[in-house]
Each structure stands twice: as C-alpha cells, then as structure tokens.
C-alpha cells in the first residue's frame, strides 16, 4: 500500500480550493432538483442518499481523482488476493476471503486461505448442528441451553452487534462476557445452569488479559459447581490462532476452531468468531450474513468508483473531516436492532485509522481517523440532538433506517422513518432567524417579540449527512452493512497512506496496566510506577481497599 502524502496530490489542492466558497447545503439542495437522483447509490441490500453531503459534482470528481491518484484501483483488487497491507505486523489482510466462494483460491505462505476458510466453516456448521440439535451434551448429559462468548474487542463487538440485531435466538440463549470488570461475570453467572452452558473462548491471540481472566473465573465457577476437570471439554470451545495456548488451557483439538493471522480482530465477525451467531440463530443465518458481506465485497471490487457505495461513503467523510473541518461523526441508526452498531463501528474505524504516521513511518500531514459516536434514534433526539442542532461543534452524521420493520407495529415504523428523515433535513437546512421570525409572526406574535425570540430558535444547519436505507434488518443486510463500513475504512486508510490493520497504540496501556496491577497487589505499594500521580492513586487505593 502506498504511503504517499495525499496532501501533495493535485486533487487535494483542487479540493482545498473547492472548499473555500462552498454554498450552504440548503442552497446546494435548492439549486438542483435532481440532486437526490445524482447522489443516490444503489448497493447490495441498501440504497444510500449522499445528496445531503455538502459537495457538488466538481467536488465529487476531485475526490474520485484523489482516490485514483492514491491507488484505489490496485488497492481494491489486492484486497482480494495475497497482499502485504499490514507490514508492521508482517501480515496480509484478507477478511474478504472469509466470505469468498469455495472455488476461489488465495495463496498465503503456501496455504490456500479460501480452502482453510471453507474447511473451518464446515466444522463450524457441524458444531452448530451438534449443539442446536442436542447431540452436544453438558456434564450431566443435558442439552445446551445457554452459550456465553468470552471475548473482547473484535472477538466480542461484531458477534454481539449481530446477535442483538437479529433478536431472540431460536437456539440456545447467547450471552457475552467481555469486560475485566467482575460485575459482568457476577451478574451473568448466577443466571446460568452450569451443566447446560457452553462457553466460547474467543480470542485471536488467546493472550488477552480480560478474556483469560474471565475464562479462568468461569473454569473455577464450573469446577466449584461439580463439573470435573475431564468434563470441562463439554463446556468450553475456543476460537483462536494460538492453538498451543488453547491446548494449554486444557482444550482438545476438536474443541478448537481456527482463526488466521490475516484476519484483523475488528474484521473478524464473518470468521469463526461469528460462532455465537450460528449457535443462536442457525448456520443458515450465518451463511446469509456471509452472502450479504460477499455481495458488498463484489460491489466494492467491481462497481465504478462514481457508483461505489464504500468508496463514496469514504470520500464524503474524508471531505467532511479534512476539508470542511467536521470534528466527529455521529452514527444514528433509526433501528433499535442496531443499538450496538455505533460500538462496533467505533472499534472498526477508530482502532483502524487512529494513526499519526503513514505506512513508511513518516508523520501524516492531515487529520486521520474519525471520532465516531452515536446511538439509536429517536432516543438521541431527546438527549444530544440539541447540541447537534444549535451547538458549535462541527460534525457529520450517518442515518440508517430499515425499509422493513422487524415487528408488526407499522405505525411505529412510519413515525420512526418520519423522524429519521426530519432530522437529516434539519441538519442540512437548519432554520434562519428570518424564517423563525416570520413563522412566529404568522402565529400572532408581535414583530418585536418575534425578533427577540428568533435567535434562540434559529439553527444554522449546513451539517452533512448520509442516509442509508437498508432493505431490512435480516442477516444479509447486516453482512452488507458490515462490509460497507470495512471497505469505507480501508479506502480512507489507503488515501491517508496509513496502515489500517495494526493497533500498536493500545499496547502501552496494557503493559502499564500490568505494572500497576503489580503495584496494587504486591507489598511494594506504588513503587513500581514512575508517575507521581499514579503512585499517589495506588497508595490511596490500597488504603481504601484494606
Ligand atoms: O487490544 C486490542 C485488541 O488487540 C483488538 O484489536 C482485538 O480485537 C482485541 O484486542 C481482542 O484480541 P483477541 O481476540 O486476541 O483476544
């Protein structure tokens, strides 16, 4: 992947120029009645409205030129073949292989990645059938009623988001245990029947502190409740690249599902890490998730850049951030089912593109990564939308609405859709003081009163947003939505010239956490930490805990 400085490209200069005298979004919309059609993209399982981005045809062309000059055509092709996109970890990047058709073949270090995936999918399917049909039995011979995924980060957020989106399982009930905070285990474990619960240790590295700690806690919990060491294999399976560590934990090989170095944790929901989805909802549902992701992969690989959903979504947000100065990106799913989507996307976007140096180690010269946040509409409207409408912090937003409801209360869905569309409109157009004043006067307020009231009720608008209309909330649409964002992140990282696939930034905190843990628990008190405030906090903590 190139580590070109994008700001040196002619298209970047043209964009900087174009950002200068850009009209208000309301004026752009009013000036062009066909704008919706020209900025609409139809992609697998969804339609995207990009007409409320603050751009025009010229800006869009410069952005596409920027992507081309940065090497998008080669890069998107290479994402489907052996590549070296993650040089700092010496790994290829091949999450597209996770949903590639069986007849495809990608050689990674002499092994066929696609064949390995299909072999693993076969095992995942067998395991799923065995648990769901009741062939797999717990220590006392009873069937499995609950599944607990022990994992964090990418080994948690994707499957949790999808399971939550799909609603009640028709198989075992699926739970997630992620945090080192013992509250999670303390609340969950008493609700479970140890003899009927299957725990999945999901950890690419099998070395993550939270996951190891939770797994050990659960193992003790099972042993204390009469499960013998020999019977533990009836209650644990693991997903990892680290077969040796999983074996050391005491799991036989048949209880292990493989994972591969060429899948980043945050790109792993369509890998064996998706096991909780299959266990809860059936292998066919998981297959549909993969099919949806595959359809978006193919769209990304093959569609022209000007009609390419991930590419244009990436370019729109790069434009907003690097040229229009937005400071954060709100993901606003008007879908309770997508409650966990912002959490999932936070890891995907912020762990991938939160980088300050390009792939060659040189410092970036523009803002990279995006502060992403959000939660479901309409709840957010009654919480933070006030700041969005009248505050001073520049932002962009993504609205997501499903065309089909996942319930029978149709009138609720119409209201939900109405509010989603209304918020996007107000973000774009705002309301001028003159408009407010005229409205108030029309309602009978005196001119003077209306003039005084107007500034408090006016809103600037001019906030760019994309609206994603999903066909439905089924697994194929979810798969497509996931791949849409994976590729969006890829395109942005590629243009910024950074490595979107390592995460060295999280390592120092882990090391220091271990040192401080030593200080908290051993006799030397705070002596282990170099930082005086940390030492003082350690002392205080030890005093209070005695
Ligand atoms: O600490 C960050 C991270 O490495 C993520 O990238 C990853 O998804 C998560 O931890 C969990 O890692 P693992 O699956 O190896 O336990």
């Amino acid at each position: 992947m190139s580590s070109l400085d994008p700001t040196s490209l002619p298209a970047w200069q043209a964009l900087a120029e174009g950002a200068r005298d850009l009209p208000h979004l309301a004026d752009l919309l009013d000036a062009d009645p066909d704008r919706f059609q020209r900025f609409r993209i139809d992609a697998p399982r969804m339609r995207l409205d990009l007409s409320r981005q603050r751009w025009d045809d010229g800006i869009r062309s410069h952005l596409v030129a920027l992507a081309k000059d940065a090497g998008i055509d080669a890069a998107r092709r290479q994402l489907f073949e052996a590549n070296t996109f993650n040089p700092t970890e010496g790994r290829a990047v091949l999450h597209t292989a996770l949903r590639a058709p069986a007849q495809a073949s990608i050689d990674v270090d002499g092994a066929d990645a696609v064949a390995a995936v299909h072999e693993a999918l076969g095992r995942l399917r067998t395991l799923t059938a065995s648990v769901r049909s009741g062939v797999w039995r717990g220590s006392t011979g009873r069937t499995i009623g609950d599944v607990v995924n022990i994992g964090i980060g990418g080994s948690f957020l994707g499957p949790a988001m999808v399971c939550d989106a799909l609603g009640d399982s028709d198989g075992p009930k699926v739970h997630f245990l992620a945090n080192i905070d013992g509250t999670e285990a303390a609340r969950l474990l008493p609700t479970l029947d140890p003899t009927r619960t299957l725990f999945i240790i999901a950890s690419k590295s099998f070395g993550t502190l939270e996951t190891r700690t939770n797994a050990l806690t659960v193992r003790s919990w099972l042993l204390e409740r009469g499960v013998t060491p020999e019977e533990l294999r009836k209650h644990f399976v693991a997903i990892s690249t680290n077969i040796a560590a999983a074996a050391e934990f005491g799991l036989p090989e048949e209880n292990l599902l493989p994972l591969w170095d060429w899948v980043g944790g945050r790109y792993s929901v369509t890998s064996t890490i998706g096991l909780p989805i299959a266990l809860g909802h059936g292998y066919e549902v998981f297959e549909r998730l993969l099919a949806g992701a595959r359809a978006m992969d193919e769209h990304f690989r093959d569609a022209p850049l000007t009609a390419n959903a991930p590419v244009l979504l990436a370019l729109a947000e790069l434009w907003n951030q690097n040229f229009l100065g937005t400071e954060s990106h709100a993901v606003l799913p008007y879908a309770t089912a997508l409650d966990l989507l912002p959490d999932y996307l936070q890891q995907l976007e912020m762990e991938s593109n939160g980088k300050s140096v390009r792939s060659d180690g040189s410092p970036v010269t523009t803002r990279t990564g995006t502060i992403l946040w959000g939660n479901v509409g309409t709840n957010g409207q009654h919480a933070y939308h006030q700041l969005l409408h009248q505050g001073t912090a520049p932002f962009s937003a993504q609205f997501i609405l499903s065309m089909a409801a996942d319930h029978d209360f149709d009138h609720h869905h119409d209201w939900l859709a109405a509010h989603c569309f209304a918020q996007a409109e107000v973000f774009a157009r705002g309301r001028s003081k003159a408009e407010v004043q005229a409205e108030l006067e029309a309602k009978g307020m005196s001119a003077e009163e209306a003039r005084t009231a107007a500034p408090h009720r006016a809103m600037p608008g001019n906030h760019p947003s994309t609206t994603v209309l999903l066909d439905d909330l089924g697994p194929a649409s979810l798969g497509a939505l996931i791949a849409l964002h994976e590729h969006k992140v890829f395109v942005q990282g590629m243009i910024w010239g950074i490595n979107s696939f390592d995460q060295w930034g999280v390592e120092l905190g882990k090391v220091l956490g271990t040192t401080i843990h030593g200080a908290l628990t051993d006799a030397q008190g705070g002596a282990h930490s170099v930082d005086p405030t940390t030492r003082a906090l350690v002392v205080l903590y030890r005093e209070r805990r005695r």
Side-chain angles (χ1 to χ4, degrees), residues 152-155 202-206 208 211 265-266 347 351 503 506 510:
I152 198 164
S155 300
S203 178
K204 183 176 161 185
S205 59
F206 217 88
T208 303
T211 303
R266 52 197 176 271
Q347 189 201 14
E351 199 172 70
Q503 57 285 315
V506 297
K510 290 183 191 173

Side-chain angles (χ1 to χ4, degrees), residues 411-474:
H411 61 296
H412 281 252
H413 202 65
D414 295 339
W415 274 116
L416 184 74
H419 279 289
C420 176
F421 298 154
Q423 292 298 312
E425 182 175 317
V426 181
F427 281 175
R429 308 186 74 89
R431 182 131 308 184
S432 70
K433 276 191 269 189
E435 282 172 308
V436 175
Q437 202 171 324
E439 267 169 29
L440 293 176
E441 284 182 38
K443 283 183 187 155
M445 203 181 258
S446 75
E448 202 190 324
E449 279 176 323
R451 212 175 14 258
T452 311
H456 299 283
R457 304 187 192 199
M459 40 197 89
N462 215 16
H463 301 298
S465 70
T466 298
T467 299
V468 177
L469 295 174
L470 288 178
D471 285 357
D472 54 37
L473 291 162

